[in-house]
Amino acid sequence: MYNMALIQLLLRGTLGVMLFCSWARAAIQYCHKDELVDMCLGMTTAKNETSGGTDLFMTLGFEGSATKGWMALGIGEQMAGALMFLMISDQQKNVVVSVRTTDGHFQPQMAPDKTPVVEILSINSQTDTWQEYAFVCYACDKWATFNPSEKSHPFIWARGLTQKFETATLDARIRQHDHYSLFWVDMTMGAPNPGETGVPPALDRSKGSLGASDYGSPSASSGSDVDPGFTAARAHGLLLGLAFMVFFPAGAVVLHTGFSKAFEAHVALQLLASSSTFGGVFLIAWPILKNDGFETLLKGHPFFGVVLVALVAIQIWFGWWHHRNFVKLQRKTTPTFIHRWNGRLLLAIGTINTAFGIIFAKEKAAAKLIWGTLAAIEAILFLIIVPELIRRKQQFFIPSAKHIDGEERGHLLETLSPDQ
């Protein structure tokens, strides 16, 4: 009788230890809730004896309708190079998990010859308020951005809230996300025990995040908003912002200063602005064409960028033509007026499209403040200071400069001309 009670006690103790170990192993859970997104992600890993790699088991739950929107999870610190899992469901509640990657902040593309195999294991919930799917990424550690032994592993997520899909397909095009963020996970908390079979963990939303954090380390208790760093998209924005908010305006204003080398400074600044424009556009246009296709360049902010490139090319051509005629004829010609009004149009569209770019990239308030400050300076320069310089120039305008000959005389007249 005593032995039977001892055996039962040992069995209960063993079962308790097994349950504790199972709970500890499946303890990775990341939850995020704000005004747009309410989601939870559970993760655990297991050794894949067939491939020799590590399988990643995930349960992804999020608030929203089963007939619209999409949810994505990415392994990595940014879109470029990340392994992404897109949960797409159509209006009939058919769901697929599409495995994709991309070179940057562009439409993620399927790459079946490069990406691991992913399979949906179960649909746990598919109501009008909560979606929950369990899936596995087989031998997921074969992907460069995933390290199952990292204690502070970066992940990204993104949510599209309103897009509807007639048919859920693996290659369905998605619109830009409405919300996204970056988080970190201690992958060692989901490390497999020897001989264990991997299963997707159950979510417990009441517990919040376990072994995961929004702030750079699962043990961190505070932090700041996620910043992706100096990306190609930000380099693009910096170059175009400098071109249309600094270099082009400065090049236009310097002609009215009476500075002896005003013409040379004007040319140098315009060439610098043009180079910044072409360089900044190339940084983003080439990846867009490679990843998203030409049609993306015909929408919104990118479309105005294409228009600006055309206007810059026109400005260079008519600027050279105007100068050649002015030196030769010492008067304004049709290219003069085209160059002038095209420049004004260029500055207006460039300034506005810079704002569109900041909004499109969802940049922080600091970027908007910088744009607003520079736009205000531009307005003061062109509405107050430049007209005053022109008025003063008219008072002291030299209608001829007979003591100066040739191209130098043309330069002088060009910078002193009151209507420049």
Side-chain angles (χ1 to χ4, degrees), residues 299-355:
K299 300 175 182 177
H301 172 69
F303 171 75
F304 285 108
V306 173
V307 171
L308 286 168
V309 169
L311 291 178
V312 169
I314 292 171
Q315 188 71 353
I316 293 171
W317 169 252
F318 280 98
W320 171 82
W321 194 356
H322 146 73
H323 173 67
R324 188 191 66 171
N325 288 352
F326 207 103
V327 170
K328 183 178 179 179
L329 304 174
Q330 298 176 18
R331 62 179 175 82
K332 297 180 182 66
T333 56
T334 299
T336 304
F337 296 98
I338 295 176
H339 180 66
R340 181 187 305 157
W341 283 101
N342 185 75
R344 291 168 179 172
L345 182 63
L346 185 68
L347 283 176
I349 297 178
T351 299
I352 294 170
N353 205 43
T354 301

Side-chain angles (χ1 to χ4, degrees), residues 182-238:
L182 174 66
F183 64 101
W184 285 261
V185 171
D186 181 357
M187 292 305 302
T188 63
M189 293 184 66
N193 294 320
E196 277 191 330
T197 302
V199 292
L203 297 179
D204 187 346
R205 298 163 68 189
S206 65
K207 291 183 178 179
S209 295
L210 301 167
S213 170
D214 281 312
Y215 305 122
S217 170
S219 60
S221 58
S222 63
S224 59
D225 292 338
V226 173
D227 192 317
F230 192 70
T231 61
R234 281 188 168 171
H236 157 84
L238 177 63

